[in-house]
Amino acid sequence: MSSPAHSFSTIIITGASSGIGKAYLQSLLQNGSQATIINLSRTEPKGLDLPDSFFHLPCDLSKPQEIDWAADKILSLAYGKPGRWLLINNSGFGSYGPFPEPNLSHTLNMLDLNIRGLVHLTAALLPNIQQQGGAIINIASTAAWQPTPYMAAYGASKSFVLQWSLALAAEQKEKGIQVLAVCPGPTESDFFRRAGFGEAPLAGWGQTAAQVVDATWNALGKGRTLVVSGFLNRCLCALSCRLPKVCQAPIAAFVLRRMRLNAMKSRNANV
Ligand SMILES: NC(=O)c1ccc[n+]([C@@H]2O[C@H](COP(=O)([O-])OP(=O)(O)OC[C@H]3O[C@@H](n4cnc5c(N)ncnc54)[C@H](OP(=O)(O)O)[C@@H]3O)[C@@H](O)[C@H]2O)c1
């Protein structure tokens, strides 16, 4: 197996039931990983030939008590097993519409998952990762690089993931723990349907989940703390953060408003 993920004996993934998380799982299985792989999501990954070393822990990561339960289970599954740990914090969802659409509780649930859940699970597993050695991968987004009107809370939640991840990387470096923030751009998955878009706005610049996974393993192998997946996405992020702060939101609003109009048009056409 060429991927640096080969060097871990325990791998915890959140959200391997779908999309990018499932692509991480597929990549590990295809490359013959011998690790104990533990997935945390509400539903089980389907359509894969899963080995005995794979465990699914049904868990809603927006609920603190379920995270505590899952963390205890992980510790017992990995008990006494030597080797490094890899934690991939991938679970997350977006929500599309002017705040507070579709409603406040949906938005708060998104923040609970995208921010609180990720911080909580990392804190619960960090002592073991430090003891055994290892790495943490946090899935942020290109949405983290500027304000995202019509996805305001989602973009802000991913800014948190990005900034927190980079800060954690600096803290953990001296302990030998690599922390990597991954920023995918628009990627083929269930994300857009769940976020309330009519159709995924991928035309011409979307990536596959497998491309995001390849970019991740590449960055992990090079000891990086940040990767933006895809050349065009890297250009857009570089451009976006060079714009004056006050210009970023109006430009993003123009782009995201058009996506909303297109989504509404395609929804109406399908009625
Ligand atoms: N696709 C994109 O364009 C894109 C771009 C940038 C960043 N991202 C980020 O990439 C990550 C993966 O998204 P994706 O594109 O693969 O979307 P996806 O296909 O919708 O997958 C989302 C995953 O998150 C899990 N999840 C959702 N709610 C959960 C909860 N309450 N508890 C536990 N797990 C939960 C889902 O599992 P269950 O439903 O089984 O619980 C699923 O496995 C997210 O953090 C997303 O923000 C995606």
Side-chain angles (χ1 to χ4, degrees):
M1 182 185 182
S2 56
S3 123
H6 201 31
S7 69
F8 301 97
S9 67
T10 301
I11 301 177
I12 301 114
I13 313 179
T14 69
S17 59
S18 164
I20 296 171
K22 190 171 185 179
Y24 283 118
L25 176 58
Q26 275 174 313
S27 165
L28 291 167
L29 299 178
Q30 278 161 9
N31 286 299
S33 171
Q34 300 297 308
T36 299
I37 304 174
I38 305 167
N39 169 55
L40 277 58
S41 56
R42 294 165 304 177
T43 57
E44 220 166 323
K46 303 235 163 61
L48 299 177
D49 193 8
L50 296 166
D52 291 343
S53 54
F54 173 84
F55 299 90
H56 167 67
L57 302 180
C59 178
D60 182 339
L61 291 163
S62 66
K63 301 205 165 85
Q65 62 281 18
E66 296 199 19
I67 297 175
D68 287 334
W69 170 83
D72 284 349
K73 278 280 191 196
I74 291 167
L75 298 186
S76 60
L77 286 171
Y79 181 74
K81 197 166 183 243
R84 301 167 74 229
W85 284 33
L86 174 64
L87 167 63
I88 307 178
N89 283 311
N90 162 76
S91 279
F93 70 87
S95 182
Y96 189 45
F99 178 79
E101 275 188 19
N103 56 59
L104 182 60
S105 71
H106 186 77
T107 303
L108 293 176
N109 182 251
M110 179 177 69
L111 298 178
D112 282 342
L113 176 65
N114 294 6
I115 298 178
R116 279 182 63 106
L118 177 143
V119 171
H120 187 158
L121 184 66
T122 304
L125 302 181
L126 190 59
N128 290 74
I129 297 173
Q130 287 174 335
Q131 197 186 321
Q132 305 267 144
I136 300 168
I137 296 173
N138 294 318
I139 309 303
S141 169
T142 52
W145 290 68
Q146 65 286 299
T148 54
Y150 304 103
M151 297 187 83
Y154 173 73
S157 76
K158 290 298 174 177
S159 295
F160 175 91
V161 174
L162 175 58
Q163 302 293 338
W164 182 75
S165 191
L166 292 171
L168 196 66
E171 287 179 13
Q172 293 301 317
K173 193 171 182 230
E174 66 191 45
K175 301 199 166 78
I177 308 299
Q178 183 184 356
V179 181
L180 171 65
V182 177
C183 294
T187 306
E188 284 169 26
S189 74
D190 269 356
F191 177 85
F192 290 101
R193 185 187 55 76
R194 292 189 197 204
F197 284 78
E199 255 172 53
L202 297 173
W205 58 305
Q207 286 202 301
T208 63
Q211 287 175 307
V212 176
V213 171
D214 286 346
T216 304
W217 295 152
N218 188 31
L220 191 70
K222 290 180 175 160
R224 300 240 161 98
T225 56
L226 170 65
V227 61
V228 178
S229 177
F231 177 71
L232 193 53
N233 292 323
R234 280 196 289 284
C235 293
L236 288 172
C237 288
L239 180 70
S240 177
C241 62
R242 274 171 185 75
L243 289 171
K245 266 267 172 265
V246 287
C247 298
Q248 292 174 344
I251 293 172
F254 175 76
V255 174
L256 283 151
R257 199 180 301 121
R258 278 180 70 101
M259 285 183 185
R260 182 167 174 80
L261 289 176
N262 290 342
M264 284 166 73
K265 263 191 237 154
S266 77
R267 216 173 294 152
N268 291 341
N270 291 331
V271 172

